Amino acid sequence: MAGSIQKIGKKFRVTKELGKSQSGKRLREYVYAATEAEAKKLLAEFEYNQQRNTLVESSNITVSEFFDHWMENYVKYNCEETTAYGYRNILYKHVEPYLGRIKLQKLQPTHIQQYYKYLMDEKGLSPNTVRKHHANIRKALDYGLKQQFVYRNVADAVSLPRLNKFEGRAYTKDQLNTLLELVKDTKLELPVYLSAYLGLRRSEITGLTWKEGVDMQNRILHIEKVRTSAGKAVVIKKPKTDKSQRTLFIVDVIYELLRKTQVNQAEYKKILGKDYNDSGYVFTREDGTPYRVNTVTEQFSDFLKKHKLPKIRLHDLRHTFASILHSEGVDLKSISEALGHSDIGTTNKIYTHIFDKTHKDTLSTMSKALRKNKEKRSSNV
């Protein structure tokens, strides 16, 4: 028999028969379950894997050593640097100090459950951040399952904290016009206008180049590269999805702003000479050096505070872009394509909270229809 179940106190012990050692000693492994149903499930999984010859042999590898193996043999070759940086940040700064010394095959759902409790109660992390940790751990253990380091993914049995839904804010037309007036002829004019008028992301603005991204003759912007960061390293890559790679018409106000930017850069290049860094980027410092990716976000926050404007993120100008277009009757599909979303469902999910929650236009249509019908009936009498 592959194993057995025995009730001990209030828990159920599952005994896994692993065979015999070279000396003839029986090898066993014990795990505990809170309920008999869970114990039966554990035993059934063990027997299934044993029958399929996929049972993992006992190993001394720790959780920490396994994560190192996963990073070196999977993440290194299959993930972008920004993704790999996120994994390293979570695993090495948070997960390993708490779970790293546990033997991988001894890792249980309760270990992970207590880790999530620790993150919220001791570290003060949000449920959303805890879910990111969970996604990371679960993905790594899925790899371990496929490579037969473990015979089940224990992260699947963990209960997650309720997700706190984040809702971005949007400026009204009046608030946006005020911002656009105040930001003129400042360092923030270009990124704010590109975000407000075209719905560009921060990474798209900082990654925009004159040669590949701007076609002044045909008045087209090509969004084909983004510039982001992974820790202190700057990463230049393609946008996350194919739909994010898009072409956008350069409206008059943006055309004039780009022309002004070209003139300014030419003047600085003439003044600084060899000290000018001709980086080719559209959004740069006076010496031509592209801004640090996070700088524009920090400057935007300081600007709003200085001018006592309602606090929003730079990214919320995309929300404003979507909200105003929707209020002007632009259909959701067109808004989605302009924003570079993968599908219309993404747009609806992200921005539904800033659209008209009272359904004024929809419900008013019903009233108008009945009123017209009533007037028509009256005229026929």
Side-chain angles (χ1 to χ4, degrees):
M1 185 175 178
S4 60
I5 298 174
Q6 181 180 1
K7 186 174 183 181
I8 299 178
K10 294 182 178 180
K11 293 188 176 182
F12 293 83
R13 186 179 72 183
V14 179
T15 302
K16 301 175 183 178
E17 299 289 350
L18 303 175
K20 294 183 179 181
S21 67
Q22 292 182 350
S23 62
K25 182 180 178 181
R26 295 177 69 179
L27 300 176
R28 291 173 174 173
E29 181 181 344
Y30 302 100
V31 293
Y32 291 84
T35 65
E36 185 176 10
E38 183 182 351
K40 289 181 178 179
K41 182 180 179 181
L42 291 173
L43 183 59
E45 289 175 346
F46 173 78
E47 292 175 342
Y48 173 83
N49 287 323
Q50 191 178 55
Q51 291 168 5
R52 293 285 191 279
N53 290 320
T54 61
L55 186 62
V56 182
E57 294 182 359
S58 294
S59 171
N60 289 323
I61 186 173
T62 64
V63 170
S64 178
E65 291 168 337
F66 166 69
F67 283 144
D68 288 340
H69 175 88
W70 179 64
M71 291 293 298
E72 184 64 26
N73 292 276
Y74 176 82
V75 175
K76 182 177 180 179
Y77 301 105
N78 294 280
C79 299
E80 293 184 348
E81 178 54 30
T82 48
T83 302
Y85 170 77
Y87 288 158
R88 287 194 297 270
N89 188 55
I90 289 176
L91 292 179
Y92 297 146
K93 288 186 178 181
H94 301 281
V95 181
E96 284 199 354
Y98 193 92
L99 300 173
R101 295 183 180 180
I102 300 173
K103 300 295 183 183
L104 180 62
Q105 291 182 33
K106 298 293 184 181
L107 184 66
Q108 295 296 315
T110 185
H111 292 130
I112 301 176
Q113 195 76 65
Q114 288 302 309
Y115 169 63
Y116 295 163
K117 185 177 185 297
Y118 162 78
L119 290 179
M120 291 188 289
D121 293 349
E122 301 296 329
K123 291 291 186 179
L125 300 185
S126 69
N128 296 23
T129 301
V130 171
R131 281 174 169 262
K132 289 181 181 179
H133 284 232
H134 174 75
N136 197 160
I137 294 171
R138 186 179 182 281
K139 188 173 182 65
L141 291 177
D142 262 345
Y143 168 82
L145 182 62
K146 292 174 182 177
Q147 297 296 315
Q148 299 185 24
F149 281 93
V150 293
Y151 65 89
R152 70 171 183 140
N153 189 336
V154 294
D156 288 336
V158 177
S159 298
L160 295 177
R162 182 178 297 178
L163 186 67
N164 288 335
K165 186 177 180 182
F166 175 79
E167 295 186 349
R169 300 177 61 186
Y171 268 3
T172 63
K173 296 175 189 177
D174 287 340
Q175 289 172 327
L176 181 58
N177 273 321
T178 298
L179 172 63
L180 294 174
E181 284 296 320
L182 289 172
V183 85
K184 280 185 178 179
D185 299 321
T186 71
K187 296 177 181 179
L188 285 171
E189 181 180 17
L190 185 64
V192 168
Y193 270 67
L194 287 175
S195 187
Y197 276 91
L198 302 180
L200 297 193
R201 301 174 175 91
R202 180 188 67 172
S203 60
E204 294 169 345
I205 295 169
T206 57
L208 193 63
T209 60
W210 291 112
K211 185 177 180 179
E212 297 177 328
V214 182
D215 181 351
M216 294 294 282
Q217 183 176 350
N218 295 304
R219 299 182 63 148
I220 294 293
L221 282 189
H222 300 281
I223 309 301
E224 297 177 346
K225 290 182 179 179
V226 297
R227 188 167 175 269
T228 184
S229 61
K232 295 182 179 180
V234 174
V235 179
I236 300 168
K237 61 177 184 175
K238 288 184 177 181
K240 195 170 185 179
T241 66
D242 291 339
K243 291 291 183 68
S244 291
Q245 298 182 54
R246 59 201 189 279
T247 56
L248 300 171
F249 177 71
I250 301 175
V251 297
D252 290 345
V253 65
I254 299 300
Y255 183 85
E256 294 303 322
L257 179 55
L258 290 173
R259 279 294 186 204
K260 184 173 75 171
T261 302
Q262 286 180 323
V263 171
N264 289 341
Q265 288 187 354
E267 290 179 352
Y268 281 118
K269 185 176 182 180
K270 184 177 180 180
I271 294 171
L272 296 176
K274 293 182 179 180
D275 292 328
Y276 185 81
N277 177 24
D278 196 357
S279 63
Y281 284 98
V282 176
F283 181 50
T284 66
R285 299 177 184 275
E286 288 85 350
D287 66 354
T289 304
Y291 278 99
R292 185 172 60 88
V293 179
N294 291 331
T295 296
V296 62
T297 304
E298 296 163 357
Q299 290 181 345
F300 182 70
S301 178
D302 292 340
F303 185 88
L304 296 184
K305 186 176 182 179
K306 177 182 177 181
H307 293 278
K308 299 180 180 180
L309 294 173
K311 184 178 179 180
I312 62 170
R313 304 168 304 161
L314 180 69
H315 192 79
D316 288 331
L317 290 179
R318 272 171 62 84
H319 296 0
T320 303
F321 172 86
S323 176
I324 292 177
L325 288 182
H326 187 269
S327 68
E328 292 296 314
V330 178
D331 64 275
L332 199 58
K333 184 176 184 296
S334 297
I335 296 174
S336 178
E337 291 174 349
L339 288 168
H341 286 160
S342 57
D343 56 62
I344 193 172
T346 301
T347 311
N348 189 53
K349 180 180 179 181
I350 295 175
Y351 296 107
T352 185
H353 69 279
I354 62 174
F355 296 155
D356 182 13
K357 292 184 178 181
T358 65
H359 310 289
K360 178 181 177 181
D361 293 339
T362 302
L363 300 180
S364 295
T365 299
M366 186 65 176
S367 297
K368 291 176 183 178
L370 292 177
R371 185 171 64 250
K372 286 181 180 179
N373 180 263
K374 184 177 181 180
E375 292 172 351
K376 182 178 180 181
R377 290 175 61 184
S378 299
S379 63
N380 291 332
V381 175

